[in-house]
Amino acid sequence: MRIGMGYDVHRLIEGRDLIVGGVRIPFEKGLLGHSDADVLLHAVMDALLGAAALGDIGKHFPDTDEAYRGISSLKLLEKVGKLLEENLYIIGNIDASVIAQRPKLAPYREKMRQNIADALHISVNQVNVKATTEEGLGFTGAGEGISSQAVVLLETVGNYSYGYDPMETGTGGMPSGAGGSCAGCGGCRGND
């Protein structure tokens, strides 16, 4: 079992769309960033990458790369999901909080949960999204920005596979001693 924590913050400015959890939210300001600046998805991605010891979103999607300018963070989250799959990680659950004084996010939380689940090919009951204010305190309370925190739990394929040690591999990338498969999970592609 591996646990990861992610944190992100973006400044609110005029002239940008506000996108949180892959949902376009009607508001007079949006978040400033190289991509769509989806603060929730950025925190989730950093938590996932951190739990897998695979760096952070700046390593994988640098803001100096024009390929990521204005990109949907849902597409980046899908890439993180594929990276986890390639490294034989299974998502246990995601618990995230968005901290914003305004706008109220409660009407959009279920769609945010569904977007995250769909991008990662997991069940929506593995994703929780909460929203809170800071009661007028700090930069979020003053309406200068929005922040987000996320905690995730990952497990390895080895936790579900009889006789599989994730640190040992046999030929073709398949687990040694596992008879060439991971107890029928169908997730390994070592013989492709």
Side-chain angles (χ1 to χ4, degrees):
M1 174 183 336
R2 302 179 72 131
I3 297 169
M5 181 270 192
Y7 173 79
D8 195 42
V9 61
H10 286 277
R11 179 183 303 273
L12 281 164
I13 63 163
E14 293 181 1
R16 292 266 302 190
D17 289 331
L18 179 61
I19 300 170
V20 180
V23 179
R24 188 177 312 275
I25 298 170
F27 194 57
E28 66 264 18
K29 294 181 179 180
L31 295 170
L32 178 63
H34 185 70
S35 65
D36 63 5
D38 190 325
V39 68
L40 171 59
L41 298 188
H42 291 186
V44 168
M45 286 187 279
D46 265 347
L48 291 166
L49 291 167
L54 294 171
D56 59 21
I57 59 174
K59 173 183 174 182
H60 295 276
F61 316 112
D63 62 7
T64 54
D65 190 333
E66 286 300 308
Y68 303 119
R69 181 172 297 281
I71 194 169
S72 167
S73 293
L74 283 170
K75 290 184 180 177
L76 301 180
L77 183 60
E78 288 173 1
K79 291 178 186 244
V80 169
K82 287 178 184 169
L83 189 59
L84 293 175
E85 183 181 316
E86 289 167 7
N87 284 275
L88 304 180
Y89 287 107
I90 298 167
I91 298 169
N93 74 298
I94 298 169
D95 186 25
S97 296
V98 181
I99 302 97
Q101 195 66 33
R102 290 187 327 119
K104 295 295 183 192
L105 300 176
Y108 310 102
R109 285 187 300 175
E110 292 308 311
K111 180 61 176 163
M112 293 175 189
R113 291 178 65 214
Q114 190 66 59
N115 286 345
I116 293 167
D118 289 348
L120 294 170
H121 306 290
I122 60 176
S123 171
V124 72
N125 70 6
Q126 292 173 269
V127 181
N128 190 50
V129 174
K130 305 181 298 287
T132 189
T133 71
E134 289 192 310
E135 299 186 9
L137 300 174
F139 70 90
T140 57
E144 296 173 14
I146 296 177
S147 66
S148 184
Q149 300 175 6
V151 178
V152 305
L153 176 97
L154 295 184
E155 299 193 54
T156 65
V157 169
N159 292 344
Y160 295 97
S161 304
Y162 178 75
Y164 169 60
D165 179 349
M167 301 310 288
E168 275 184 49
T169 58
T171 59
M174 295 300 290
S176 62
S181 69
C182 297
C185 79
C188 294
R189 289 175 261 173
N191 290 334
D192 288 352

